[in-house]
Coordinates of all heavy atoms in Angstrom, one line a residue:
E10 N -45.2 -31.2 -0.6 CA -44.5 -30.5 -1.6 C -43.6 -29.4 -0.8 O -44.1 -28.7 0.0 CB -45.5 -29.8 -2.5 CG -44.9 -28.7 -3.4 CD -43.8 -29.2 -4.3 OE1 -44.1 -29.9 -5.2 OE2 -42.6 -28.8 -4.1
D11 N -42.3 -29.5 -1.0 CA -41.5 -28.6 -0.2 C -41.3 -27.2 -0.8 O -40.8 -26.3 -0.1 CB -40.1 -29.3 0.0 CG -39.4 -29.6 -1.4 OD1 -40.1 -30.2 -2.2 OD2 -38.2 -29.3 -1.5
E12 N -41.7 -27.0 -2.1 CA -41.5 -25.7 -2.6 C -42.8 -24.9 -2.3 O -43.8 -25.2 -2.9 CB -41.3 -25.7 -4.1 CG -39.9 -26.2 -4.4 CD -39.7 -26.6 -5.9 OE1 -39.8 -25.7 -6.8 OE2 -39.6 -27.8 -6.2
I15 N -45.2 -23.6 -5.2 CA -45.9 -24.7 -5.8 C -47.0 -25.2 -4.9 O -48.2 -25.4 -5.3 CB -45.0 -25.9 -6.3 CG1 -44.0 -25.4 -7.3 CG2 -45.9 -27.0 -6.9 CD1 -43.0 -26.4 -7.7
D54 N -44.8 -34.9 -3.9 CA -43.7 -34.5 -4.7 C -42.6 -35.6 -4.7 O -42.5 -36.2 -3.6 CB -43.2 -33.2 -4.2 CG -42.0 -32.6 -5.0 OD1 -42.0 -32.9 -6.3 OD2 -41.2 -31.9 -4.5
I55 N -41.9 -35.8 -5.7 CA -40.8 -36.8 -5.7 C -39.6 -36.3 -4.9 O -39.1 -37.0 -4.1 CB -40.4 -37.2 -7.1 CG1 -41.6 -37.7 -8.0 CG2 -39.3 -38.3 -7.1 CD1 -42.1 -39.0 -7.5
G56 N -39.2 -35.1 -5.2 CA -38.0 -34.6 -4.5 C -38.4 -33.8 -3.2 O -38.9 -32.7 -3.3
L57 N -38.1 -34.5 -2.1 CA -38.4 -33.9 -0.8 C -37.2 -33.7 0.0 O -36.2 -34.5 -0.2 CB -39.5 -34.7 -0.1 CG -40.8 -34.8 -0.7 CD1 -41.7 -35.9 -0.1 CD2 -41.6 -33.4 -0.5
P58 N -37.1 -32.8 1.0 CA -35.9 -32.6 1.7 C -35.4 -33.8 2.5 O -34.2 -34.1 2.7 CB -36.2 -31.4 2.7 CG -37.6 -31.0 2.4 CD -38.2 -31.9 1.3
A83 N -40.5 -33.7 -11.2 CA -39.9 -32.5 -11.9 C -39.1 -33.0 -13.1 O -38.9 -32.2 -14.0 CB -38.9 -31.8 -10.9
K104 N -44.1 -31.7 -13.6 CA -44.0 -30.2 -13.5 C -43.4 -29.6 -14.7 O -42.5 -30.2 -15.3 CB -43.1 -29.9 -12.3 CG -43.6 -30.3 -10.9 CD -42.6 -29.9 -9.8 CE -43.1 -30.4 -8.5 NZ -42.1 -30.1 -7.4
Ligands
CA1 CA1 -39.4 -30.7 -4.4

Side-chain angles (χ1 to χ4, degrees):
E10 165 62 70
D11 57 312
E12 286 166 67
I15 298 176
D54 185 29
I55 303 292
L57 292 166
K104 292 179 182 176

